[in-house]
Amino acid sequence: MRKKVLFFVEAMGGGVFTYITNLANGLSKEFEIYVAYATRPQTPKDYKKYFNKDVHLIKVKNFDRKISFKDINAFFEMKKICQVVKPDIIHLHSSKAGILGRWAFNGKKIPLFYTPHGYSFLMTDISKQKEKFYRILEKLSASRNCTTISCSYGENQETKEFTMKACYVDNGINIEKINKVIAHTKKKKNKKPVVFTIGRISIQKNPVLFNKIAEHFKDLKFVWIGDGNLRNKLTSPNIEIIGWKNEDEVLRLANSYDIFLLTSKWEGLPMSLLEAMYLKKICIASNVIGNNNVITNNFNGFLCDNLSDYIDVIYKLMNEGFPNDLLINARKEIINHYNSTVMARGYADIYRKSLKNR
């Protein structure tokens, strides 16, 4: 009989959604997977189709992004779901589920794991008081009997400030699926390089900086795949906002563009970056945790600290062309390390060891 693994996922949108579907599907051959979740505006409308048929989906009514009295209801709802499913392993994903779950369950009878997907206290759009509050919550919760599995080396280093019950398994993308999606897509040659990004138009992704870069290169087309409440910050006339698309459409669009630009103020380990590297796009990213764990400057992409760095890199590419070795190095890095098969294998090993130890 397969062991039951119960995921709790409050933030099932964007890169976390891709991660959860890849991991759940990858583990479902060995484990019986249950996903207790809440959706976000960017969650695909047909999200259930992304999961294997044998993955069980349970909607959590009281999960909410903001801290509120609903969290008390969510706390008890999580306990009730656990009583019904009777899992052998519980895995909490993202900050909200991670905080509530580490207090709802004691980790003694059932092995308990937590993956932050980017710590809340690293957000730069919050006050110093909120940052301190989130740090305290993480520090207190880290005292519980739970192992934190970070999705990048950098996130793991942050975790070790709170607890040594820590390890990491790097994010990975589903290479086989990507190959199927782009197999019948004609890759057009653009007269001039098209610069693109993927994600929610939010403070995290820094649309103000993206806009400034676009303003500097008025003869180039810039594309933002996604949407969000800060779309009014993208005012440069050479920027096109595509809006939210399903996963397959995003991959086809990305495959037709040339330079992937990631201006994030903070990250976990972005799936969109890994996908762009596999598609052999020039990747120019902010020098923050997550991005700088996968990109080695001038080897498989470019890291930037400020506006002038981005401008210098793009000017260099326009004058000297795209370095083919860099594109090859980026793709190799994904194939050898950052793919969902390797990721699922890493988690399966951790789960097996925890069950054996019990």
Side-chain angles (χ1 to χ4, degrees):
M1 185 180 290
R2 291 184 300 166
K3 298 294 183 182
K4 294 180 182 179
V5 178
L6 173 58
F7 289 173
F8 282 104
V9 194
E10 181 274 318
M12 202 169 77
V16 175
F17 173 75
T18 305
Y19 164 95
I20 290 295
T21 53
N22 285 343
L23 184 58
N25 292 339
L27 290 170
S28 64
K29 296 171 187 175
E30 182 177 348
F31 300 92
E32 190 172 351
I33 304 295
Y34 293 77
V35 181
Y37 66 95
T39 58
R40 289 277 181 90
Q42 61 269 39
T43 306
K45 290 180 180 179
D46 59 345
Y47 64 90
K48 292 182 180 179
K49 293 181 181 178
Y50 288 78
F51 291 93
N52 288 349
K53 290 181 180 179
D54 55 351
V55 173
H56 309 276
L57 299 177
I58 306 166
K59 194 156 189 177
V60 182
K61 297 175 184 177
N62 292 290
F63 268 160
D64 192 28
R65 187 178 183 184
K66 296 178 181 178
I67 295 174
S68 69
F69 285 109
K70 283 186 73 176
D71 295 339
I72 298 170
N73 294 330
F75 176 91
F76 289 106
E77 190 176 1
M78 290 171 76
K79 290 177 77 71
K80 188 175 181 180
I81 289 168
C82 186
Q83 289 169 0
V84 172
V85 174
K86 294 181 173 56
D88 299 287
I89 289 167
I90 298 172
H91 194 158
L92 314 165
H93 296 274
S94 295
S95 298
K96 177 62 74 74
I99 300 294
L100 293 174
R102 280 178 287 178
W103 294 99
F105 312 111
N106 60 27
K108 291 179 180 178
K109 291 184 179 180
I110 305 170
L112 187 62
F113 299 98
Y114 164 51
T115 299
H117 299 287
Y119 280 111
S120 296
F121 60 77
L122 292 176
M123 298 188 296
T124 59
D125 63 333
I126 57 175
S127 65
K128 289 291 181 183
Q129 289 82 2
K130 273 193 175 181
E131 180 190 334
K132 190 175 181 180
F133 175 65
Y134 290 151
R135 278 187 180 274
I136 291 169
L137 280 179
E138 288 291 350
K139 189 172 184 178
L140 289 172
S141 301
S143 66
R144 302 288 288 174
N145 188 15
C146 175
T147 298
T148 300
I149 311 174
S150 297
C151 60
S152 72
Y153 171 80
E155 190 170 78
N156 187 48
Q157 294 303 106
E158 291 286 342
T159 299
K160 286 180 178 179
E161 290 186 16
F162 305 120
T163 177
M164 294 311 292
K165 296 194 289 278
C167 59
Y168 74 97
V169 176
D170 284 317
N171 272 357
I173 58 172
N174 191 329
I175 290 171
E176 287 183 17
K177 183 177 180 180
I178 292 173
N179 289 339
K180 286 179 183 177
V181 171
I182 65 173
H184 305 294
T185 304
K186 288 185 179 180
K187 196 173 178 181
K188 62 179 181 180
K189 181 75 174 176
N190 298 307
K191 291 180 180 179
K192 288 185 178 180
V194 176
V195 183
F196 75 104
T197 197
I198 303 167
R200 190 158 53 95
I201 309 175
S202 61
I203 288 177
Q204 181 198 359
K205 299 297 182 182
N206 205 349
V208 172
L209 179 56
F210 187 90
N211 193 73
K212 286 179 180 177
I213 298 165
E215 286 178 334
H216 205 89
F217 296 95
K218 292 191 180 294
D219 58 334
L220 296 182
K221 182 180 178 180
F222 284 70
V223 174
W224 193 300
I225 304 171
D227 210 334
N229 61 340
L230 293 185
R231 64 179 291 147
N232 62 325
K233 301 295 182 183
L234 299 174
T235 57
S236 189
N238 56 333
I239 296 176
E240 180 185 359
I241 301 172
I242 297 285
W244 293 116
K245 300 292 180 183
N246 67 41
E247 202 172 301
D248 290 0
E249 289 175 309
V250 170
L251 287 169
R252 292 189 190 102
L253 285 167
N255 198 41
S256 68
Y257 302 141
D258 308 283
I259 298 173
F260 179 69
L261 183 64
L262 195 61
T263 53
S264 313
K265 292 187 174 187
W266 71 88
E267 283 289 357
L269 204 170
M271 306 297 279
S272 57
L273 174 60
L274 303 182
E275 289 167 348
M277 290 173 70
Y278 180 72
L279 292 172
K280 294 176 75 173
K281 306 302 169 184
I282 291 288
C283 293
I284 310 171
S286 52
N287 189 11
V288 297
I289 289 172
N291 295 347
N292 57 24
N293 296 132
V294 65
I295 286 193
T296 302
N297 203 25
N298 292 303
F299 175 73
N300 57 8
F302 299 97
L303 294 170
C304 300
D305 291 305
N306 49 51
L307 175 60
S308 61
D309 285 353
Y310 286 101
I311 291 170
D312 289 346
V313 169
I314 295 174
Y315 266 130
K316 186 179 179 181
L317 292 169
M318 298 302 292
N319 293 327
E320 299 178 12
F322 292 6
N324 196 50
D325 288 350
L326 184 142
L327 300 174
I328 292 170
N329 292 338
R331 189 180 176 91
K332 279 183 180 178
E333 187 80 1
I334 303 304
I335 292 170
N336 295 332
H337 189 72
Y338 295 97
N339 71 73
S340 58
T341 302
V342 174
M343 179 178 73
R345 194 183 303 140
Y347 280 101
D349 288 343
I350 293 169
Y351 292 166
R352 278 190 229 104
K353 285 176 185 176
S354 71
L355 292 169
K356 189 176 181 182
N357 291 337
R358 295 300 161 107

